[in-house]
Amino acid sequence: MTVGLRELKKQQTRQAISDTATRLFMEHGFESVTIAQIATAAQVAKMTVTSYFPRKEDLALDYHETFTASLARTVATRSVGESALAALRREFLAALARHDAVIGFSGPGFARMLADSPTLTARLRELHDLREDALAQVLAAHTAATPGDLTPRAAAALLTAAHRTLFQQIMDLTLEDKDNQEIAAIVADTAHQVFDLLEPALTDYAVRTQPS
């Protein structure tokens, strides 16, 4: 119980720091806010902030680990008989229905903060790249690809590009002050178009043949 309470306290502290930082970033702009200002506002030491968030960008994009692992996790846990493409389409539409932040839902203030910050924009591109790397590794493992076979990398690039495109559309619509229900309805149509484009190449790729 003591360990559990200690871990809970750490999670609460981490969330409080992230929430405080995001509020300051949205009010003043990401580049203008310092770690020292965040620490003061959150009533913690500057070292505490950096111990939880070694990179300033991750104070704003604090879901980065979930984000970079999301596509790989979906493919790794797909059902028998389901291809990588089918699993990712299914999961994207489910995430769209629940307005999941991992696929781009945020709110106008957060979306504007992200769009206005060159640093955060660059970090987001990096996270998309890391997500592609993680997906490529899972595809290589699940298709028993030989060393030097670029098929998993090419498939991961196509699948990740689809998600990047849809993520950006959600962000753009958010900046237009459309509500989440309207965004989801618009992006659902786009998602089917985007995933349909990949069907000829990837329908039969990485189909799971046996349980994990």
Side-chain angles (χ1 to χ4, degrees), residues 148-168:
D149 183 357
L150 293 181
T151 304
R153 169 60 62 184
L158 291 171
L159 292 163
T160 307
H163 284 80
R164 286 185 195 233
T165 300
L166 296 167
F167 186 101
Q168 188 59 53

Side-chain angles (χ1 to χ4, degrees), residues 3 14 21 43-44 55 69 71 80 110 133 150 171 186 193:
V3 174
R14 187 184 191 281
Q43 298 183 321
V44 297
R55 296 182 61 154
L71 303 187
V80 173
F110 187 92
D133 290 342
L150 293 181
M171 293 291 291
I186 294 170
Q193 294 171 18

